[in-house]
Amino acid sequence: MSAAVDRLMRFRMQNNALKTKASTQSGLMVSGGGFQGKTETVCDCAAAFEDFLRDLHQELNPDAVAGTRDLHAPVAYVQTPVTAKPKSVCEAILDFFGAPIARGATLPQLCRLVRASLRDHGTRVLILDDVTRLKMHREADQDALDLMRGLMSMNVTLVLVGVGIRQSGLLTGGHYDAASGQWRFLPRKDGKSYFNDEAGTQTDRRFDLIDLDPFRYDTPPGIAAWTNHLAGLEDCLRLFHAEPGMLTTGDMPEYLFRRTQGVVGLLERLIEDGCAAAIDNGTEKLTVSLLDDIGIDLRDAPGRDPQAGEIPEVPPPSRPSPASKRGRNTVFDDRGPASSSSAS
């Protein structure tokens, strides 16, 4: 799943960055559940793109404005404010660049500062995380989304990241073009412009939407992918009594999937807390019995907005009863557990 996001995002950023004509850049939306690894995946890909762009131009900004050569920032990352308004979105972007904001600045003034900061820093990619904090029944949030779309006219690849974008209402103002596989956002039909007239005259604004799904455990390829991921985690652990196959053999792969439902953030939290417990009690290895005493508590997760779906439901730690214990090759589907032979 991460590879699919990485591939599409890498192509989009590089194609937009190498364009020589002025045009509205196509954007990208990355959707998925809470703790699914969206931010980490997007930031890793953006960091690789920044290295590519810096190598391409020998660490220099090819369009540098006098006095700004040391301010090169090809990629900007901004977290959408919990209560987003056009002004607060502008302020969040300017805060990334450390730009001074005059007290009492008007929205047009803030928009000009945003344009100047993106231009002066040579920014080619703007990542807006937690975009589904915008609620489309609020007029201020609609205006904030209009502002974000307007940023696409600034020679910047806009990457929007959020939980459940398809169900959030963010796509209400657009339609899906099956031929291109993109979402198109036409100019507003009420005659009103966006936050500036230039953005309001664009013919359309395009986004590709890609989902970052959790791991699955209902097909042999899905089980293999999950096991390979566990093997990668296992290689990173430095417990003194860790054994080969500690996370990948026996009942452990299925147990870890049941505890996390294939959500990488929950898996990371469970393994981290389990390692801390194993070090504390001196066992220095992970077992099902040890992990069964570890609860995953996300209620106080910092920087997360539960109302935006950023905190997923956590399966209980209790083990299944002996009567319902499944074999090693048990797989899951939407109707419940099934044996691999019946699933095939």
Side-chain angles (χ1 to χ4, degrees):
M1 297 77 66
S2 298
V5 173
D6 178 85
R7 183 174 183 272
L8 177 59
M9 186 174 171
R10 176 162 42 88
F11 288 172
R12 178 55 42 82
M13 292 186 299
Q14 291 183 4
N15 290 340
N16 286 345
L18 298 177
K19 288 180 179 178
T20 57
K21 65 177 182 178
S23 62
T24 299
Q25 306 283 23
S26 296
L28 183 65
M29 292 182 178
V30 180
S31 179
F35 279 78
Q36 190 55 57
K38 301 180 299 300
T39 298
E40 183 176 356
T41 300
V42 167
C43 287
D44 281 349
C45 184
F49 167 75
E50 178 165 335
D51 291 340
F52 159 78
L53 203 62
R54 288 182 180 275
D55 291 342
L56 183 64
H57 299 293
Q58 292 77 49
E59 298 293 330
L60 298 176
N61 179 5
D63 303 314
V65 178
T68 65
R69 292 186 182 276
D70 59 338
L71 301 179
H72 193 197
V75 177
Y77 171 85
V78 177
Q79 192 173 40
T80 305
V82 174
T83 304
K85 296 181 180 179
K87 277 191 174 183
S88 64
V89 172
C90 287
E91 290 169 350
I93 296 173
L94 294 171
D95 183 64
F96 172 86
F97 294 110
I101 303 174
R103 178 176 297 182
T106 64
L107 179 59
Q109 290 173 330
L110 292 174
C111 291
R112 285 195 292 271
L113 284 174
V114 169
R115 287 199 297 269
S117 292
L118 293 172
R119 180 192 66 242
D120 295 348
H121 291 80
T123 302
R124 307 307 299 269
V125 176
L126 176 60
I127 301 171
L128 290 170
D129 201 357
D130 298 324
V131 70
T132 43
R133 291 178 175 179
L134 299 177
K135 306 302 179 185
M136 293 299 97
H137 65 277
R138 297 194 294 242
E139 183 176 357
D141 292 33
Q142 296 177 23
D143 293 339
L145 181 60
D146 290 343
L147 182 145
M148 294 176 184
R149 293 173 184 164
L151 297 176
M152 300 175 74
S153 66
M154 299 181 188
N155 200 31
V156 171
T157 301
L158 187 62
V159 181
L160 305 181
V161 184
V163 176
I165 288 180
R166 296 178 188 272
Q167 299 81 29
S168 67
L170 294 178
L171 301 173
T172 303
H175 69 277
Y176 182 73
D177 184 353
S180 64
Q182 294 178 325
W183 286 84
R184 294 173 178 262
F185 295 86
L186 302 178
R188 289 165 61 158
K189 297 180 180 180
D190 56 8
K192 298 180 180 179
S193 64
Y194 292 96
F195 75 100
N196 64 46
D197 292 336
E198 181 182 2
T201 60
Q202 296 297 328
T203 56
D204 59 18
R205 293 156 179 80
R206 297 185 180 96
F207 286 94
D208 278 332
L209 175 64
I210 186 168
D211 294 297
L212 184 61
D213 297 319
F215 282 94
R216 300 281 301 204
Y217 208 78
D218 53 359
T219 63
I223 295 174
W226 174 249
T227 306
N228 288 337
H229 183 70
L230 295 179
L233 287 178
E234 186 178 292
D235 290 340
C236 297
L237 300 183
R238 295 297 178 264
L239 297 174
F240 288 140
H241 298 156
E243 302 172 350
M246 181 176 62
L247 301 182
T248 57
T249 59
D251 294 333
M252 186 62 85
E254 184 176 335
Y255 172 82
L256 292 174
F257 185 86
R258 184 178 62 80
R259 286 293 308 274
T260 64
Q261 295 301 303
V263 176
V264 292
L266 298 184
L267 176 66
E268 180 179 335
R269 177 70 66 90
L270 180 61
I271 296 299
E272 286 179 351
D273 292 349
C275 287
I279 294 171
D280 184 64
N281 64 23
T283 58
E284 291 287 343
K285 66 178 181 180
L286 297 179
T287 62
V288 170
S289 60
L290 182 144
L291 293 176
D292 225 20
D293 293 330
I294 303 295
I296 306 175
D297 188 358
L298 306 178
R299 290 174 296 180
D300 297 325
R304 301 278 182 166
D305 182 11
Q307 295 183 350
E310 295 168 17
I311 298 182
E313 294 185 5
V314 180
S318 58
R319 291 188 237 175
S321 62
S324 62
K325 187 174 180 181
R326 297 176 293 272
R328 173 65 186 89
N329 295 324
T330 301
V331 298
F332 289 73
D333 60 22
D334 294 335
R335 296 167 295 179
S339 66
S340 58
S341 59
S342 62
S344 60

